[in-house]
Amino acid sequence: MVLNGKLVAAKVQDEVRTGVAQLRAATGVTPTLAVILLGDFPPSQVYIRNKKVACAEVGIATQDHLFPSGLSEADLLKLIQRLNDDPAIHGILLQLPLLPGMDEDRVVEAIAPKKDVDGFHPENLGRLLAGSPTVVPCTPAGVLEILDHYGIELKGQEAVVIGRSRIVGKPLAHLLLARHATVTLCHSRTQDIAFHTRRADLLAVAVGRASVVTGDMVKEGSVVIDVGINRGADGKLTGDVEFAGASARARAITPVPGGVGPMTVAMLMKNTYLAARRQLGAT
Ligand code: NAP
């Protein structure tokens, strides 16, 4: 079975659209997302465009802070402080990567945790680790949403996550652990990745390298979540998993494109809506 991220994302977007309309009716306030983009890196421009289209579709307003020719780190920190203090702004989307030489940790930590709709602030990551998550990073939250939509049981399952980034692998491992999976987290220094993947009931791959997982590495009857996005020489997008080989063995698998990707944007909408609700005191 192919796990259809587009379909699940559309369901989440519908729920957010309804919630936003109800919140606006109850409070007279439109949830608003400030969008910060530095430089002219083409993929970032595409991501921002997609996120803004999604906001428009669910009724979330956006406020642009686009600096194609750059901005100093000091001015960026001042802008973030101003947005933190502005009650009309409920979420701050800081598109990464920042410009070369900028201290990403310092800038991310400058965002007020309640407006950190990406869930990258150490306070929000800490809450996830502590078992009481408030804002969960969008991509791993989207993975859980897909698994839940298709009724995939996690309790007691062997889950293997490849990739330990702050935005995908680590938070995903904690979310799976919180659902009572037995989690193994693999990375570039792991010896014999295939040993781990072959016993995975759930295999989630977030590396950024095409075909890092081949069909023979996949357990028969397992569930495979491919987070990777790679552009081939032919310009086509592929994931980290060799789809044909893996789908012949897995019982369920996400495609690329159309799997985890659409979920990331949908969960950003959900995080922004929930952040606005909390700030407006709606329960
Ligand atoms: P990242 O920060 O570059 O992290 C990559 C991780 O993969 C690291 O932990 C690295 O290990 C590990 N790794 C690298 N080569 C490996 C190998 N040969 N075997 C095992 N592990 C290896 O990347 P990211 O931001 O997590 O993103 C990962 C992929 O997901 C990228 O393709 C990205 O475009 C994609 N992505 C997709 C979405 C979406 O919406 N679908 C969202 C975010 C990211 P070390 O820690 O040891 O270096």
Side-chain angles (χ1 to χ4, degrees), residues 23-283:
L23 188 63
R24 203 170 39 223
T27 64
V29 177
T30 299
T32 301
L33 180 67
V35 176
I36 306 176
L37 174 62
L38 307 185
D40 56 1
F41 184 47
S44 292
Q45 290 173 332
V46 173
Y47 291 140
I48 287 291
R49 196 166 56 233
N50 292 345
K51 289 167 184 175
K52 287 181 60 175
V53 167
C55 282
E57 282 171 3
V58 299
I60 291 175
T62 52
Q63 188 186 86
D64 282 350
H65 298 274
L66 313 179
F67 302 95
S69 48
L71 187 71
S72 71
E73 187 171 318
D75 285 342
L76 176 59
L77 291 170
K78 273 189 216 152
L79 169 64
I80 289 172
Q81 192 54 53
R82 190 156 58 73
L83 297 170
N84 284 344
D85 293 340
D86 183 348
I89 297 294
H90 306 101
I92 299 173
L93 169 63
L94 175 66
Q95 184 65 43
L96 301 176
L98 299 179
L99 299 173
M102 283 188 166
D103 184 337
E104 192 175 293
D105 287 348
R106 183 161 52 201
V107 176
V108 167
E109 284 181 41
I111 297 174
K114 66 181 179 182
K115 298 191 181 188
D116 164 41
V117 285
D118 274 319
F120 298 160
H121 191 285
E123 183 176 315
N124 287 323
L125 289 171
R127 285 183 190 280
L128 177 61
L129 183 61
S132 53
T134 310
V135 188
V136 177
C138 302
T139 302
V143 170
L144 264 283
E145 195 80 31
I146 292 180
L147 295 172
D148 286 345
H149 175 84
Y150 285 97
I152 292 165
E153 175 68 81
L154 296 170
K155 195 172 17 171
Q157 300 290 291
E158 290 291 334
V160 172
V161 178
I162 312 181
R164 57 174 166 180
S165 71
R166 178 168 68 173
I167 65 172
V168 188
K170 273 187 206 161
L172 179 56
H174 283 287
L175 289 170
L176 295 170
L177 193 58
R179 295 294 192 86
H180 311 297
T182 302
V183 182
T184 302
L185 190 47
C186 300
H187 47 77
S188 68
R189 305 324 138 76
T190 300
Q191 293 178 21
D192 199 354
I193 294 256
F195 164 79
H196 297 284
T197 62
R198 286 194 187 115
R199 54 176 190 76
D201 301 311
L202 173 79
L203 174 62
V205 191
V207 169
R209 190 180 290 201
S211 299
V212 78
V213 169
T214 48
D216 60 305
M217 294 167 71
V218 170
K219 181 179 173 182
E220 201 73 51
S222 62
V223 174
V224 177
I225 301 289
D226 190 352
V227 181
I229 302 176
N230 308 289
R231 194 169 289 279
D234 55 1
K236 285 198 178 141
L237 290 186
T238 56
D240 289 347
V241 178
E242 201 182 71
F243 187 82
S247 58
R249 294 170 73 109
R251 95 180 127 93
I253 184 168
T254 57
V256 178
V260 176
M263 292 309 300
T264 298
V265 178
M267 300 315 285
L268 177 71
M269 299 302 106
K270 187 167 176 178
N271 280 352
T272 305
Y273 159 62
L274 292 175
R277 271 185 75 94
R278 284 191 291 268
Q279 285 162 63
L280 293 167
T283 49

